[in-house]
């Protein structure tokens, strides 16, 4: 996967992304229990978001999982190239919303969210949001850690440097308990779960 041109996440964005992912865990459980989020839908969302963020480590992992789920190599290649022509019609809007969310760094348009709620219902829409946030966290962690590992194979990410990679990996460890606690408190006090672009 070509990473050039994809903007790296900041330390502050990592904190926000991790907090939002942890806040969304109950939403994903509810959507799965309601039968609104099957494995193929989940993997298509993960591939779409990974394509936007340019995470080589997540691309490799989710390609493997998608193949095991029965996706064709052609569909996976197309999705990692930003082409969703093979996505089933009933999943396409959710996949496109996930891409939109990633493109706007977690602040989708209010209109796009309303359409997703209308099409999938509130439980389904929050399931899509939750999966999107989980893979955003995976990408935010996978980009620096994957780049760090590739650096020693002579395949350094041109967007990155070793200082950034070490800083983000250290921040992830430090943020893990803090973002988990923040997520619990925000959910407890029923803080808004989603912010929109203006």
């Amino acid at each position: 996967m070509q990473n050039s041109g994809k903007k790296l996440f900041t330390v502050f964005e990592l904190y926000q992304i991790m907090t939002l992912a942890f806040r969304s865990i109950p939403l994903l459980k509810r959507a799965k229990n309601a039968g609104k989020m099957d494995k193929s839908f989940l993997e298509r969302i993960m591939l779409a978001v990974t394509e936007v963020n340019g995470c080589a480590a997540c691309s490799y992992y989710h390609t493997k999982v998608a193949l095991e789920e029965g996706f064709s190599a052609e569909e996976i290649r197309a999705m990692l190239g930003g082409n969703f022509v093979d996505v089933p019609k009933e999943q396409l809007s959710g996949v496109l919303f996930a891409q939109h969310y990633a493109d706007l760094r977690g602040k989708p348009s209010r209109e796009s969210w309303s359409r997703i709620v209308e099409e999938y219902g509130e439980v389904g829409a929050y399931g899509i949001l939750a999966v999107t946030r989980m893979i955003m966290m995976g990408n935010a962690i996978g980009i620096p850690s994957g780049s760090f590992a590739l650096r020693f194979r002579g395949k350094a990410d041109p967007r990155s440097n070793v200082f950034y990679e070490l800083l983000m990996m250290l921040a992830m460890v430090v943020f893990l308990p803090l973002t988990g606690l923040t997520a619990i408190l925000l959910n407890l006090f029923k803080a808004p779960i989603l912010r929109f672009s203006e």
Side-chain angles (χ1 to χ4, degrees), residues 159-189:
R159 303 172 298 171
S160 186
N161 61 62
V162 72
F163 174 75
Y164 170 80
E165 293 154 12
L166 291 170
L167 175 65
M168 290 293 278
M169 288 188 292
L170 175 63
M172 185 266 300
V173 173
V174 172
F175 289 169
L176 201 57
L178 297 174
T179 53
L181 180 60
T182 303
I184 290 168
L185 291 172
L186 289 172
N187 282 349
L188 187 65
F189 290 104

Side-chain angles (χ1 to χ4, degrees), residues 135-162:
I135 189 60
M136 286 285 286
M137 182 171 75
N139 292 166
I141 292 167
I143 291 169
S145 56
S147 297
F148 186 73
L150 288 172
R151 182 170 299 284
F152 296 101
R153 296 184 201 159
K155 298 178 183 176
D157 185 337
R159 303 172 298 171
S160 186
N161 61 62
V162 72

Side-chain angles (χ1 to χ4, degrees), residues 112-122 125:
S112 69
W113 176 246
S114 296
R115 287 183 181 174
I116 292 302
V117 172
E118 185 178 321
E119 183 166 345
Y120 296 96
E122 190 172 281

Side-chain angles (χ1 to χ4, degrees), residues 18-97:
M18 289 177 72
T19 301
L20 290 172
F22 290 134
R23 285 197 74 192
S24 300
I25 290 171
L27 302 175
L28 180 55
K29 285 182 181 176
R30 192 168 50 161
K32 282 183 171 181
N33 290 341
K36 302 284 187 179
M37 187 60 57
D38 66 21
K39 287 184 179 180
S40 70
F41 196 8
L42 188 145
E43 280 307 316
R44 285 187 176 97
I45 290 169
M46 299 235 176
L47 287 169
V49 173
T50 294
E51 184 277 327
V52 171
N53 292 324
C55 178
C58 295
S59 174
Y60 175 82
Y61 176 76
H62 287 288
T63 293
K64 176 181 173 292
V65 174
L67 285 168
E68 290 169 356
E69 282 298 313
F71 287 41
S72 70
E74 292 76 21
E75 180 182 357
I76 295 167
R77 189 177 303 111
M79 289 198 71
L80 290 174
N83 183 338
F84 305 135
V85 68
D86 294 323
V87 173
K89 185 179 178 184
E90 67 275 9
Q91 295 179 3
L92 184 58
S93 294
V95 169
L96 291 172
F97 173 81

